[in-house]
Amino acid sequence: MAKAKKQTKAIQDFSKYVRWFWIVFLGGILSVLLIFLMASWGYLGDMPDHTQLENPETNLATEIISSDGQTLGKFYFNDNRTPVSYNDLSQHLIDALVATEDARFHDHAGIDGRGTLRAFFFLGKRGGASTISQQLARQLFVGVRTNSLFTTATQKIKEWVIATRLERQYTKEEIIAQYFNIYDFLNNADGIRSAASIYFNKEPIDLNLKESAMLVGMFKNSSFFNPRRFPERVKKRRNVVLAQMEKYDYITTTVKDSLQKTELDLNYTPQSHREGIATYFREYLRDFMKKWTRDKANRKPDGSKYNINSDGLKIYTTIDSRMQQYAEDAVQQHMSRLQAEFFHQNTPKRNPTAPFLDLTRGAIDTLMQNAMSQGERWRVLKKAGKSEKEIRASFYKPAKMTVFEWKDGKPSEVDTIMKPIDSMRYVKSFLRTGMMSMDPLTGHVKAWVGGVNYRHFQYDMVKQGKRQIGSTFKPFVYTAAIDQLHLSPCNELSDTPYCIEKFKYGNPEEWCPKNSNEKYGGLRTLKDALANSVNTVTARLIDKVGPQTVVDLAKKLGIESDILPVPSIALGTPDLSVYEMVGAYSTFANKGIYTKPVMVTSIEDKNGTILYQFKPETRDVLNEETAYVTVKLMEGVTKSGSGARLRGKGADAYRTDYRKVVTGYPYEFDNAIAGKTGTTQNQSDGWFMGMVPNLVTGVWVGAEDRAAHFAGITYGQGAAMALPIWGLYMKSCYADEKLNISKDDFEEPLNLSINVDCSKVSEKVIIDDDSGGDDVPDDLDF
C-alpha cells in the first residue's frame, strides 16, 4: 500500500515537472512570438510599413547619359548610386554572392533555421546566420549595430521580421538586385553599378569571375577590404569567395586554383564631379538642371522640387561619348605640345616678364594684385575674418600645394612648395582652350571641351568665356554683302589702303585698317580675299552694307552678346563665345536655317516617367543660295588660304629639338571643308571654325590674360593654335565609321543664280568703290 502511494506520488511529481516543462516551453514560444509581434507592431522601434517596403528610401544619383547610351557622369552628394535590375548582373556576381553569404538562399523564406541553430550552438564560430534577406533588411531599415547587447538583440529581431516581409514582398531575384544596389563599396562606389565602373571600368553584367569574387568579398567589410588601400588583404578575401564557389560547385577546382594565383587587376576609374569625361559639359548641365528644378512647371506630384543629387533622375544628352573622347584626346595631344613650345619661348632668360608680354613690371604687379583680390584664397580668408594686410601677406608665404602640369602628353599633378603669388603666375602661364562640335541640322551638340583640365581650370571657355574673335567674324560681313548686293565669290575688289571717315556710322574717328602683312596692291576676288583674310577688302564690304546690317545678321545667326555697330567689327573686335560662334556657323551648313544648339533631349524620373522633352528652336535667316555661296567662300580658306594645312602631309608644325620647326601637317583631308581661322591683336587669341555638311566645330586657344601670348605669328596664329585640334579631332571622327561624319560636298541649291566657280568666269567683274584715302595709321592687326 505504501509502495503504491509512493508510486502515485512519484507520478504526480513527474506530471508536475512535465506540466512545468510545457508551461515553460509553450511560454517561451509564446514569449518569442510576442516579442516578434511587438517588433512587427513597432514596440521595439520604428518598422517600415507596406509603402516603405515597396519603395525603400535610398538616395539615387542623377545619371547623365550620352546619345550613344553611355554614362557621362552623375550628380550626387554622398550616394553615387544608380540601381540596376537582376538581369543587368553578371551570373558570376550572383553565384559568388549566394555561395559566400547564403548558400541556402533559394530554400528559405528569409530566415535560415539550420544556420541560426548552428550559430547559436557554436556561438558564431562556424559562421553567422544572417541571410541575404536579413542583411538587406539591416542595410535598408535597421542600421549599424551597437555594442549594447539589448540593442543588438532587438535589432536582430527586427531584421528577422523585416526579412520575412521582404521575402513576401519581393522575388528572390529582386532581393539580390536590391542587395547589390544598396551596398557601399567605398571610393564613391555606391551600389554595384558604380563599383563595377570605378574598380574595373565595366558594367555589372560584363564582370568576369575574379572581378565578381572581389566585389562580393567586399560585402564582409568594405572598409577593411578596401582594394585601393589593402590589395593583398582583398586578394585573400577574394580567394575565400572563390573557394566557397568551388565548395558549392559553381566552379571547378582547376578554375579556383588558377584564379587564386592572379592579381586583382584593378582598372581604377574614379567618378567625381572633377574627373572623368565631359567635365565642363557636366558642370554646364548642373546649372541647366538647377534652373529646370526651380521652374514651378517642373515639380513632383506633391509640389516639391526635384533634387538632382538624390532623386535618381536620368538626363539624356546629345553628347556622343565617342566624339567627346576624340575631342578631349585632340585637346590633350595638341595643347601639351603647344604648351611646351610656349614655355620654351617664355623662359625668364628669353622673357623677363614671363608669361606676360608688352606689359611693364608695374602693370604686371597691378594685374596680379587684382587677380589676388578676386581669387578663392582671398574670399576664404576674408570670410575667416582676416584683415586685408594679413591676406596679402599670406600670398608671399611658401605653402604646400598641388599644381597642374603636362606629363607625357597628358594632364598631371605635382606636389610642391610655392608662394601662392607665384602659383598664380604659374597658373596664368598655361594656355586654355574651348571647343564645341554640333550637328547643324538637328542642333545636337556632340562634343564640349571647356578647357584643358577641369580640376585646375574650372572656367568654361565654351559658353562662359568670351574672347575677341578676329577674322572668324569676317564671314558675317561677306554674307551680308552677298545677301544685300547679290555678290559672287568671283567678284573683285581693290586691295589698296582704305579708310572709313570719322563719324560715319557713328565712328568716333577715321578708321583705316592695315593688312596683317602690310602688303597691298591689285584686285582680289572675294574668295581670295577671305581665304587670305585681307582686311582692306573686308573694310570695303562693311562700308557698302553698313555695320548695323552686319550686327542684325549676327543676331539672327544666334549671337547673343552685345555688338557695337561700328566698322571695326569687320575685323573681329567683338568678344563672343565658342557656343555662339558654332551656332552661327551652323546656319551656313544648314542651308540658311538657324537651329539653336541642343544639349538635353529628355529628362526622366527614377521610374522612367518622362518629365521633359526638348522642342527644337529654328528660324530662317538666309536664303539657301546665300548660305551656299558663303560656304563656297569658306571652302577657299581650306584650299588655298590659312586653313590649307588641313590638306597637307607629313609632321605637324612643332619644334622637335627647340632649334628648328618641322614643316608640313599630318591631316591629309581631301573632302569638302569650309572654315575660317582667326587671330587677334598680338596673337592673344587663336580661332578655327571648321565645317563639313553634318558637323560644325569651333576651337579657341589663348591664355587667361591677353598679355600672355606668343611673341610671333608662327605659333600665335589661329592656324597653329586652334586648327590642329580641329584636324586631330576630325581624323579620329572619320576613322570611326560608325559616326557617319560626312565627306560629301555641300549640297548645291536648285537654280543657283550666283556663280561660285571662278575658273569659269569669262571676264572680271570689278565692284566699284570710292577709296577713303591712302593714310594707313597703326591699328588692330587681325
Side-chain angles (χ1 to χ4, degrees):
M1 189 74 174
K3 186 177 180 179
K5 286 182 178 180
K6 285 182 179 180
Q7 288 178 339
T8 301
K9 189 174 186 319
I11 291 171
Q12 289 175 342
D13 289 342
F14 181 75
S15 298
K16 181 174 66 175
Y17 291 136
V18 170
R19 255 193 333 270
W20 277 107
F21 169 79
W22 282 110
I23 290 172
V24 172
F25 179 74
L26 293 174
I29 292 176
L30 290 173
S31 297
V32 171
L33 290 174
L34 181 61
I35 290 172
F36 275 92
L37 283 171
M38 290 175 67
S40 65
W41 293 334
Y43 288 106
L44 298 183
D46 292 338
M47 294 287 283
D49 58 21
H50 177 80
T51 303
Q52 289 173 307
L53 286 173
E54 187 71 33
N55 298 288
E57 290 186 10
T58 54
N59 290 332
L60 303 179
T62 288
E63 187 176 10
I64 305 165
I65 303 169
S66 70
S67 61
D68 55 321
Q70 300 300 308
T71 299
L72 296 175
K74 300 175 186 178
F75 296 139
Y76 59 91
F77 277 139
N78 297 314
D79 295 337
N80 177 22
R81 180 177 291 104
T82 304
V84 296
S85 68
Y86 181 84
N87 293 330
D88 294 322
L89 299 172
S90 162
Q91 188 62 43
H92 298 308
L93 279 171
I94 299 165
D95 294 343
L97 177 67
V98 173
T100 307
E101 298 292 333
D102 191 355
R104 287 178 291 279
F105 174 69
H106 294 286
D107 301 325
H108 61 67
I111 301 174
D112 181 3
R114 286 170 57 187
T116 301
L117 290 173
R118 182 193 65 227
F120 179 78
F121 284 113
F122 293 99
L123 301 178
K125 293 180 180 180
R126 295 190 180 181
S130 289
T131 64
I132 292 173
S133 303
Q134 286 176 251
Q135 293 179 52
L136 177 60
R138 185 189 315 142
Q139 293 276 344
L140 286 173
F141 304 110
V142 179
V144 179
R145 290 178 183 165
T146 67
N147 293 326
S148 168
L149 181 61
F150 175 78
T151 304
T152 299
T154 55
Q155 284 184 329
K156 191 66 178 178
I157 292 168
K158 289 168 68 177
E159 282 178 23
W160 283 340
V161 174
I162 296 171
T164 57
R165 289 184 177 182
L166 288 172
E167 290 275 352
R168 292 196 300 269
Q169 191 84 20
Y170 298 103
T171 65
K172 292 286 186 179
E173 290 77 12
E174 289 171 332
I175 289 173
I176 285 178
Q178 283 198 59
Y179 188 66
F180 274 112
N181 285 328
I182 198 64
Y183 195 73
D184 180 0
F185 292 87
L186 293 186
N187 300 305
N188 285 331
D190 299 295
I192 190 61
R193 186 162 185 220
S194 294
S197 176
I198 288 172
Y199 291 120
F200 298 108
N201 198 24
K202 291 184 176 183
E203 290 293 323
I205 199 168
D206 298 322
L207 292 169
N208 62 33
L209 181 54
K210 73 173 187 176
E211 292 165 347
S212 300
M214 189 207 86
L215 292 174
V216 168
M218 292 179 69
F219 280 124
K220 188 173 180 68
N221 185 328
S222 58
S223 296
F224 189 77
F225 297 105
N226 183 339
R228 294 194 66 209
R229 295 188 61 191
F230 313 113
E232 286 303 314
R233 183 187 295 173
V234 174
K235 181 179 175 182
K236 290 178 181 178
R237 176 61 186 164
R238 179 204 66 184
N239 290 347
V240 170
V241 175
L242 292 171
Q244 286 293 106
M245 296 182 75
E246 183 226 8
K247 176 181 177 180
Y248 291 104
D249 297 325
Y250 288 107
I251 60 175
T252 65
T253 302
T254 303
V255 170
K256 180 206 72 172
D257 292 341
S258 174
L259 291 179
Q260 284 184 337
K261 297 175 183 177
T262 64
E263 298 301 319
L264 294 178
D265 293 332
L266 294 179
N267 181 9
Y268 184 64
T269 311
Q271 289 183 354
S272 74
H273 305 310
R274 295 186 177 186
E275 296 174 295
I277 194 172
T279 45
Y280 290 92
F281 172 75
R282 280 153 43 197
E283 283 309 301
Y284 157 78
L285 193 60
R286 184 190 299 278
D287 187 60
F288 173 92
M289 290 302 298
K290 285 179 180 177
K291 293 176 182 176
W292 183 83
T293 57
R294 284 197 293 265
D295 189 335
K296 291 183 179 179
N298 304 321
R299 295 293 170 89
K300 295 180 182 179
D302 63 3
S304 62
K305 292 197 302 184
Y306 282 99
N307 188 322
I308 64 172
N309 295 302
S310 61
D311 279 337
L313 302 177
K314 291 186 182 294
I315 307 171
Y316 292 90
T317 72
T318 61
I319 298 294
D320 187 295
S321 68
R322 298 160 296 183
M323 297 173 74
Q324 179 68 30
Q325 190 63 62
Y326 299 151
E328 293 185 13
D329 290 346
V331 165
Q332 287 185 18
Q333 185 176 340
H334 175 65
M335 293 302 292
S336 61
R337 296 187 292 178
L338 189 68
Q339 188 68 52
E341 178 60 28
F342 187 76
F343 281 148
H344 172 72
Q345 294 186 20
N346 280 280
T347 61
K349 183 177 180 180
R350 293 184 177 88
N351 175 19
T353 61
F356 309 110
L357 294 170
D358 311 318
L359 291 182
T360 64
R361 292 191 182 278
I364 294 174
D365 288 341
T366 300
L367 184 153
M368 297 301 295
Q369 292 295 322
N370 289 338
M372 185 189 299
S373 62
Q374 295 169 6
E376 180 69 7
R377 182 184 185 87
W378 185 285
R379 187 189 67 79
V380 171
L381 292 177
K382 189 75 172 177
K383 189 175 181 181
K386 300 293 183 182
S387 68
E388 184 172 314
K389 182 178 180 181
E390 290 175 311
I391 296 174
R392 290 189 184 279
S394 73
F395 279 85
Y396 294 90
K397 295 178 181 178
K400 292 182 179 180
M401 60 183 68
T402 301
V403 297
F404 175 81
E405 69 173 0
W406 288 106
K407 186 175 182 180
D408 300 326
K410 295 182 178 181
S412 184
E413 294 179 335
V414 59
D415 294 326
T416 186
I417 297 176
M418 189 182 295
K419 294 176 183 177
I421 190 71
D422 292 335
S423 72
M424 289 171 55
R425 186 186 288 258
Y426 174 76
V427 166
K428 288 179 178 293
S429 69
F430 279 91
L431 298 173
R432 317 292 178 84
T433 188
M435 175 185 182
M436 185 176 121
S437 193
M438 168 180 155
D439 182 328
L441 178 62
T442 63
H444 288 190
V445 175
K446 297 297 183 181
W448 177 305
V449 185
V452 293
N453 182 265
Y454 182 77
R455 190 175 183 85
H456 291 273
F457 309 102
Q458 295 180 19
Y459 194 72
D460 175 35
M461 291 305 302
V462 169
K463 201 167 192 293
Q464 280 183 299
K466 297 181 180 182
R467 295 297 286 260
Q468 213 169 56
I469 55 173
S471 293
T472 55
F473 192 84
K474 287 178 179 176
F476 302 156
V477 179
Y478 279 71
T479 301
I482 294 167
D483 189 50
Q484 296 286 316
L485 306 175
H486 209 64
L487 300 183
S488 161
C490 309
N491 292 154
E492 295 185 331
L493 277 171
S494 174
D495 176 18
T496 55
Y498 188 83
C499 291
I500 296 178
E501 62 267 23
K502 187 177 182 179
F503 299 132
K504 190 175 184 181
Y505 313 117
N507 205 36
E509 58 185 24
E510 187 179 51
W511 183 62
C512 306
K514 296 162 50 177
N515 286 338
S516 60
N517 58 8
E518 299 190 41
K519 294 181 180 179
Y520 309 89
L523 296 168
R524 287 184 182 266
T525 63
L526 295 188
K527 185 175 183 179
D528 177 72
L530 184 63
N532 292 283
S533 213
V534 179
N535 291 340
T536 57
V537 172
T538 311
R540 292 173 188 273
L541 288 175
I542 200 168
D543 196 12
K544 290 182 179 297
V545 298
Q548 188 62 55
T549 300
V550 178
V551 171
D552 292 342
L553 173 63
K555 293 296 182 180
K556 292 177 183 177
L557 291 171
I559 301 299
E560 299 173 349
S561 301
D562 292 334
I563 302 176
L564 290 175
V566 294
S568 62
I569 64 172
L571 306 189
T573 55
D575 285 0
L576 304 178
S577 67
V578 173
Y579 172 89
E580 291 174 295
M581 291 297 288
V582 171
Y585 268 65
S586 292
T587 307
F588 303 131
N590 195 30
K591 303 178 181 180
I593 300 172
Y594 170 76
T595 301
K596 187 175 180 178
V598 177
M599 283 69 76
V600 178
T601 55
S602 64
I603 301 171
E604 294 180 358
D605 67 12
K606 64 181 180 181
N607 299 315
T609 303
I610 296 176
L611 306 175
Y612 164 86
Q613 277 190 314
F614 93 99
K615 297 178 181 178
E617 296 182 35
T618 63
R619 59 175 174 265
D620 291 337
V621 177
L622 303 167
N623 63 60
E624 186 176 348
E625 184 176 53
T626 299
Y628 179 75
V629 172
T630 302
V631 167
K632 298 304 286 185
L633 274 170
M634 286 192 282
E635 277 192 58
V637 174
T638 68
K639 288 181 178 179
S640 59
S642 55
R645 62 188 66 194
L646 290 171
R647 310 294 182 182
K649 301 179 180 181
D652 209 341
Y654 295 95
R655 289 179 184 269
T656 55
D657 57 6
Y658 297 128
R659 288 186 296 275
K660 64 179 182 179
V661 177
V662 179
T663 58
Y665 303 89
Y667 312 114
E668 303 181 50
F669 296 120
D670 57 8
N671 55 293
I673 299 172
K676 187 70 188 79
T677 58
T679 308
T680 64
Q681 187 178 29
N682 297 329
Q683 301 80 237
S684 293
D685 304 275
W687 289 79
F688 183 70
M689 305 296 302
M691 303 187 294
V692 296
N694 66 349
L695 193 68
V696 177
T697 304
V699 183
W700 165 86
V701 173
E704 176 184 336
D705 297 283
R706 286 188 169 98
H709 57 80
F710 282 102
I713 199 70
T714 301
Y715 290 96
Q717 60 178 302
M721 294 172 72
L723 178 145
I725 294 176
W726 191 94
L728 293 167
Y729 167 68
M730 290 299 292
K731 279 187 74 71
S732 295
C733 288
Y734 279 132
D736 190 340
E737 296 181 357
K738 293 180 181 179
L739 296 177
N740 295 316
I741 304 302
S742 175
K743 289 188 175 181
D744 297 333
D745 291 337
F746 290 90
E747 185 177 350
E748 181 178 313
L750 298 174
N751 303 316
L752 179 67
S753 63
I754 297 176
N755 179 37
V756 295
D757 186 355
C758 298
S759 66
K760 297 180 179 180
V761 175
S762 57
E763 73 177 88
K764 296 179 180 179
V765 179
I766 302 172
I767 305 170
D768 292 332
D769 62 85
D770 297 320
S771 176
D774 296 328
D775 295 330
V776 188
D778 291 337
D779 206 325
L780 292 177
D781 181 4
F782 297 91

